Amino acid sequence: MFKKILIANRGEIAVRIIAACREMGIATVAVYSDVDRAALHVRKSDEAYFIGPAPAAESYLRTDRILGVAKRSGAEAIHPGYGFLSENATFAQACADAGVKFIGPTPHSMEMMGSKTRARQEMEKAGVPVVPGTSRGLVSPEEGEEVAARIGYPVMLKAAAGGGGKGMRLVHSREELRSALESAQSEAQRSFGDSEVYIEKAIVNPRHIEMQVLADEHGNTVWLGERECSIQRRHQKVIEEAPSPIVDPDMRRRMGEVAAKVAQAANYTNAGTVEFLVDREKNFYFLEMNTRLQVEHPVTELTTGLDLVHLQIRIAAGEKLPFRQSDVEMRGHAIECRVYAEDPDNNYFPSPGKITLLLEPSGPGIRRDSGMYEGWNVPVDYDPLLAKLIGYGSDRQQAIMRLQRALGEYLVAGIKTNISLFQRILGDADFLEGKLDTGYLDRWLAKGNQNLASRAPEPRLPGVEKTEALEAVAAIAGGLFAVLDPVSPVGKNGSIVRMGSGPTAVPSNWKQKGRSEALR
Ligand code: MV4
């Protein structure tokens, strides 16, 4: 086993990986940029090294500096987390060349999955269902029109080097195709330096469901169940859950077996995720494979009882998977809310700044993976994900109730967060019924704003008086404020307003303010 691991990342995922290392008796090496000197991952690691200015291109993306730190610190392996260098095959190769183990798949697997057309070719060869379309770049608008006529409109144009929606165009008719292809190609060229664009039949309002896989370096591959990731905005996931409300045991097994086939066709090792698009008839199609640990891995950990980061490290150290497919059992339901430093009342604009007060929930069925602490300054330079709040229960309703309770206890002051958004989504009738697809959140935001304007009552959990429950939670939050800072009720903008010099100076309406703040 490794004695020391470098974590080439920051934020909650760096903290999560440090926790796993600590549990395994492995020393940790953090790296940090200028604006992350006081970040939580730096404080929690055994050693920390400065790697450059705030822009990621000059710090967290600098292969030379990170490998330099690995050498200086004597780290034998690097965990890349997600984002940054995690899916960069060149970085994985540079690690191998430097004699440092990259905790993830081989550069070969990463390259295969990095090109969407290449991945489609390989998957077709392996007999994996892909969305009807081409597995090569279009050579002319005429070819595009021909293929579209065959598979039928609407069609989706996609950048081969893409992912995340860049260079993607939905085309409804022949008339639109030529100009859509031109603009997709030029966007792909601008974004990825590669203009290759291919075509697929468009699945209308699909669900996005993904399957977790693990593969060791001895040929063993297992699948660990799906995650429903349809609640997203601008290709940014907001809520994920396991299991998916629409996947039954038979569909799960079929999806899992396809995902294992995908991994085997790519000679895949370590943790990976196979993404599927699911249509209304519950047909599922391979979309892409993410060759990293994902943000939403905790919902799989809670429903399988496995620690994915421990297993990633053991696999990278050359160990065999310590269980077989038939040993994997899924139990209960987990839902994750991604807490972002953004303002839901101002078009989800980033909201960096100092966290002046932080009250964090825990308790039955609650897991919180966080990269923040009270007094810390949230930098504007990176992804605004602050923390993940995950509710677990014996069934979906219990997971939802626990999350609602915990969200009501969560107070982040000084900056704006999207916590209030979750409280409202978790009360939405379609959400409660599991009626989700990739268009859900945009529809809900349009509808929700109307509701807000007309002050329509929010739908409730069956059997729970929501107003009562929320008021009770707000009263508790208010009580906590009284104990922690009796002279400082929360201001309307979430900042602390100094009101006087002692408890007697507290205005009579401060509790009311505390309540409205907690209900915000
Ligand atoms: C699609 C699709 C419908 N039909 N492909 C968006 C990101 C990229 N990785 C794939 N995406 C989509 N591909 C076909 N043939 C709809 C989407 C899509 C989507 C997929 C997953 C999660 C959220 C999404 C939001 C909008 C569109």
Side-chain angles (χ1 to χ4, degrees):
M1 183 42 67
F2 310 116
K3 291 190 177 66
K4 192 183 272 192
I5 292 178
L6 185 154
I7 297 108
N9 216 301
R10 62 179 303 282
E12 67 83 21
I13 195 62
V15 172
R16 162 74 187 92
I17 297 161
I18 290 168
C21 291
R22 175 98 357 114
E23 288 161 7
M24 297 174 79
I26 300 167
T28 53
V29 179
V31 290
Y32 61 93
S33 72
D34 247 332
V35 291
D36 272 343
R37 288 175 188 281
L40 194 59
H41 74 284
V42 174
R43 296 193 163 188
K44 294 215 174 201
S45 63
D46 296 306
E47 295 170 54
Y49 294 80
F50 175 71
I51 51 164
E58 297 173 50
S59 49
Y60 296 105
L61 291 172
R62 283 287 296 262
T63 297
D64 54 343
R65 295 202 180 146
I66 289 164
L67 285 174
V69 171
K71 190 158 200 176
R72 268 197 285 160
S73 64
E76 306 142 276
I78 296 182
H79 197 306
Y82 51 70
F84 295 129
L85 293 165
S86 61
E87 298 191 270
N88 186 317
T90 308
F91 176 70
Q93 186 59 54
C95 289
D97 295 344
V100 180
K101 180 73 183 187
F102 177 82
I103 301 174
T106 60
H108 172 264
S109 300
M110 290 163 82
E111 260 162 26
M112 183 192 291
M113 294 304 174
S115 161
K116 309 306 161 195
T117 40
R118 169 105 193 275
R120 273 181 63 98
Q121 289 163 29
E122 300 289 345
M123 292 315 127
E124 280 182 314
K125 240 193 285 174
V128 167
V130 298
V131 186
T134 64
S135 297
R136 303 193 177 281
L138 293 172
V139 295
S140 67
E142 289 73 26
E143 184 195 3
E145 289 170 358
E146 233 167 78
V147 177
R150 182 158 50 76
I151 62 181
Y153 288 93
V155 296
M156 199 69 103
L157 301 176
K158 295 184 175 186
K166 271 252 174 70
M168 205 171 86
R169 295 287 183 283
L170 179 61
V171 181
H172 293 94
S173 66
R174 184 175 195 273
E175 290 69 48
E176 291 172 28
L177 196 126
R178 183 177 293 262
S179 77
L181 180 60
E182 277 165 16
S183 78
Q185 284 170 333
S186 73
E187 188 176 316
Q189 181 64 41
R190 257 181 292 123
S191 307
F192 313 111
D194 176 0
S195 66
E196 185 181 348
V197 166
Y198 65 105
I199 189 169
E200 280 180 2
K201 181 162 184 65
I203 312 288
V204 181
N205 285 339
R207 283 182 182 246
H208 175 167
I209 300 179
E210 58 188 28
M211 180 65 66
Q212 178 72 52
V213 297
L214 276 180
D216 65 21
E217 297 177 356
H218 306 272
N220 305 299
T221 306
V222 294
W223 50 269
L224 303 179
E226 79 284 0
R227 296 183 287 256
E228 165 77 63
C229 301
S230 295
I231 303 188
Q232 55 78 45
R233 190 177 158 270
R234 298 188 182 166
H235 305 293
Q236 175 114 280
K237 292 168 188 164
V238 177
I239 297 178
E240 305 98 340
E241 61 181 296
S244 164
I246 63 143
V247 174
D248 60 33
D250 178 63
M251 182 175 174
R252 177 168 306 117
R253 184 187 45 76
R254 287 185 289 118
M255 221 179 205
E257 284 170 3
V258 168
K261 197 193 261 187
V262 169
Q264 276 153 359
N267 272 315
Y268 200 85
T269 51
N270 217 284
T273 297
V274 180
E275 291 189 359
F276 295 99
L277 280 183
V278 182
D279 67 18
R280 264 191 282 256
E281 285 75 47
K282 300 193 188 179
N283 300 304
F284 57 87
Y285 306 92
F286 170 79
L287 192 56
E288 50 193 79
M289 182 168 190
N290 300 319
T291 58
R292 60 169 190 275
L293 180 71
Q294 295 206 222
V295 177
E296 58 271 28
H297 75 276
V299 296
T300 300
E301 294 190 319
L302 290 168
T303 49
T304 58
L306 297 169
D307 188 307
L308 291 178
V309 181
H310 279 232
L311 289 163
Q312 281 194 292
I313 294 170
R314 292 174 66 169
I315 288 168
E319 291 185 20
K320 284 188 175 167
L321 274 173
F323 55 84
R324 284 178 302 206
Q325 186 64 55
S326 56
D327 300 320
V328 177
E329 284 177 42
M330 286 150 233
R331 187 173 165 175
H333 203 102
I335 305 179
E336 171 179 280
C337 297
R338 294 192 187 190
V339 178
Y340 289 112
E342 61 184 24
D343 185 357
D345 297 325
N346 186 20
N347 207 23
Y348 300 88
F349 219 72
S351 178
K354 185 172 175 156
I355 297 167
T356 55
L357 180 63
L358 185 60
L359 300 180
E360 300 180 295
S362 60
I366 292 300
R367 167 172 170 178
R368 184 169 36 76
D369 283 22
S370 174
M372 65 178 154
Y373 62 88
E374 192 171 298
W376 182 56
N377 243 300
V378 181
V380 72
D381 310 82
Y382 310 107
D383 183 281
L385 183 68
L386 293 170
K388 302 176 311 207
L389 188 69
I390 308 111
Y392 177 78
S394 52
D395 57 24
R396 191 167 186 265
Q397 178 165 332
Q398 190 181 37
I400 292 171
M401 283 168 19
R402 285 175 158 169
L403 256 184
Q404 281 282 27
R405 182 266 298 171
L407 286 163
E409 296 171 2
Y410 214 157
L411 228 134
V412 186
I415 58 167
K416 302 285 185 147
T417 74
N418 61 343
I419 289 172
S420 61
L421 173 77
F422 299 120
Q423 292 183 298
R424 290 179 285 143
I425 293 175
L426 264 52
D428 176 63
D430 284 344
F431 177 83
L432 293 173
E433 287 172 40
K435 286 190 191 158
L436 312 171
D437 63 62
T438 52
Y440 169 86
L441 192 51
D442 287 334
R443 286 196 304 273
W444 183 86
L445 286 167
K447 179 181 75 174
N449 290 339
Q450 265 172 30
N451 282 353
L452 215 61
S454 63
R455 298 204 167 273
E458 285 180 7
R460 288 165 190 185
L461 267 180
V464 175
E465 280 303 321
K466 183 144 177 281
T467 313
E468 262 174 44
L470 274 181
E471 271 175 4
V473 163
I476 292 163
L480 283 172
F481 271 110
V483 171
L484 283 169
D485 197 352
V487 297
S488 302
V490 178
K492 195 165 178 283
N493 62 0
S495 62
I496 301 300
V497 185
R498 286 272 152 209
M499 299 304 293
S501 57
T504 50
V506 175
S508 60
N509 70 338
W510 80 265
K511 256 190 188 168
Q512 197 51 49
K513 283 196 175 178
R515 281 198 181 125
S516 59
E517 184 63 21
L519 286 165
R520 184 166 59 100

